[in-house]
Amino acid sequence: MNIIAAILVFGIIIFIHELGHFYFAKRAGVTIHEFAIGMGPTLFKKEKNGTVYSIRALPIGGFVAMEGEDEESDDPNSFGKKTLKERFLSIVAGPLANIILCVLLLIPFYAIVGFPTTTLDIVQKNSPAYSAGLQSGDKLVSINGNSLDSFNDVSKLISGSDGKELTIRYKRGSEDKSTTVIPEKSAGKYVIGINPKYKTDLLKAPKQAIVSTYQISKTMLIFLGQLVTGQLSGKIMDSLSGPVGVVNMVSKAATTGILDLVFMTALISLNIGIMNLLPIPALDGWRIIMLIFEGLRGGKKVPAKIEGYINGIGLIALMGFMLFITYKDIVRLFFRN
């Protein structure tokens, strides 16, 4: 059942991504040959109005096959014949659909689970906060003179402290108090050993979902930047997961409950959205860069054949990387404790 849940999660995320491409391409009048969920051999297909709708065996991707997307075409309804705006919307809609899905999933998550406040729930023993005298129930007011509107502000100021001493003002009951604390580094970031109390508020859940999506996106981009520049340690590199590893994580989330599964689905959807916006050949981000380049050149296109070759090379490189990560997933899953 957990494997089925994982396949459904991937199917929903892929469907939403490809639906974004499909909707705006159809709206622009592009001839679409196939709308596919999955890759590899076809398990099911149905043709309607000239478009084949199919489900394929491997739930690791999908595609919308548009006339003239990777080759020259004389069809007036081909992708290449549409305006720059229409083509841009057709491409960017896929990743944006994944990001929007993340927000939509996080709204009910925060509506039920709640969101972190500046009131402390747990102060971990022998932590910097514990040594500084902070207790459960204390309400943090400011850090180094910066007022705190949410626990996101707390996390940002602590993680950005570089381990330097922080002055924390807080309320304990009706008393105003102050203390100093020196953050310690744990798992690559600075912490002081506190956990916030959570509060449910249906009206604030949408805002929290948007804020969380933005902050997680920012963290992902920072991680990718460090990955590209070689700033990450070998151990962190070894923890990178591909399809097998992600299926394993989704399966575990399904075991622990529906809310964990919803949150994991939101994270994966956001990850796919962000990754597809990267300017790497074969990804949507590369096509977006090419369209921007075309606009800067006054509408002069890069020949579709050349772009198709570049995307083909990029796809081969991505598939090779995916196979490598999948191999590491399998080794980690079956041959390590």
Side-chain angles (χ1 to χ4, degrees), residues 77-144:
N77 291 322
S78 69
F79 180 79
K81 300 293 185 184
K82 299 304 175 181
T83 66
L84 185 62
K85 179 182 177 181
E86 288 172 330
R87 285 179 284 140
F88 179 84
L89 289 175
S90 297
I91 297 300
V92 79
L96 289 184
N98 283 129
I99 296 171
I100 292 170
L101 176 62
C102 175
V103 174
L104 293 178
L105 289 173
L106 289 180
I107 290 174
F109 176 82
Y110 286 120
I112 297 171
V113 174
F115 51 90
T117 67
T118 58
T119 300
L120 302 183
D121 182 31
I122 297 173
V123 177
Q124 299 166 15
K125 286 189 176 182
N126 302 319
S127 67
Y130 184 85
S131 300
L134 290 172
Q135 299 177 10
S136 175
D138 290 345
K139 180 179 175 61
L140 305 186
V141 176
S142 69
I143 297 178
N144 285 354

Side-chain angles (χ1 to χ4, degrees), residues 78-294:
S78 69
F79 180 79
K81 300 293 185 184
K82 299 304 175 181
T83 66
L84 185 62
K85 179 182 177 181
E86 288 172 330
R87 285 179 284 140
F88 179 84
L89 289 175
S90 297
I91 297 300
V92 79
L96 289 184
N98 283 129
I99 296 171
I100 292 170
L101 176 62
C102 175
V103 174
L104 293 178
L105 289 173
L106 289 180
I107 290 174
F109 176 82
Y110 286 120
I112 297 171
V113 174
F115 51 90
T117 67
T118 58
T119 300
L120 302 183
D121 182 31
I122 297 173
V123 177
Q124 299 166 15
K125 286 189 176 182
N126 302 319
S127 67
Y130 184 85
S131 300
L134 290 172
Q135 299 177 10
S136 175
D138 290 345
K139 180 179 175 61
L140 305 186
V141 176
S142 69
I143 297 178
N144 285 354
N146 298 289
S147 60
L148 307 172
D149 295 322
S150 69
F151 195 76
N152 292 324
D153 296 332
V154 178
S155 298
K156 184 177 179 180
L157 289 167
I158 293 173
S159 62
S161 67
D162 291 328
K164 297 177 182 177
E165 185 178 81
L166 299 173
T167 299
I168 299 178
R169 287 186 57 245
Y170 61 98
K171 291 184 73 72
R172 181 174 293 165
S174 59
E175 294 183 77
D176 291 320
K177 291 180 171 287
S178 178
T179 189
T180 57
V181 60
I182 299 177
E184 62 182 12
K185 207 164 193 179
S186 176
K189 66 178 182 178
Y190 287 100
V191 297
I192 62 172
I194 56 175
N195 296 92
K197 282 189 175 180
Y198 279 73
K199 177 183 177 182
T200 56
D201 189 329
L202 293 177
L203 296 179
K204 289 185 178 180
K207 179 181 177 182
Q208 183 63 34
I210 293 171
V211 170
S212 293
T213 299
Y214 167 76
Q215 291 178 332
I216 296 169
S217 300
K218 186 177 177 181
T219 301
M220 287 180 181
L221 290 172
I222 291 172
F223 175 83
L224 288 170
Q226 293 174 335
L227 180 65
V228 171
T229 55
Q231 297 178 45
L232 299 177
S233 68
K235 289 184 178 180
I236 295 177
M237 292 287 288
D238 286 339
S239 67
L240 291 176
S241 291
V244 174
V246 174
V247 167
N248 187 40
M249 287 187 286
V250 173
S251 297
K252 289 180 179 178
T255 302
T256 56
I258 185 66
L259 287 175
D260 285 342
L261 184 60
V262 168
F263 188 75
M264 180 62 71
T265 303
L267 286 183
I268 295 171
S269 183
L270 180 60
N271 191 285
I272 289 175
I274 296 296
M275 290 297 293
N276 268 280
L277 285 173
L278 297 179
I280 299 173
L283 296 182
D284 295 327
W286 178 260
R287 296 181 186 276
I288 291 170
I289 290 295
M290 289 295 97
L291 289 172
I292 293 173
F293 184 59
E294 178 185 326

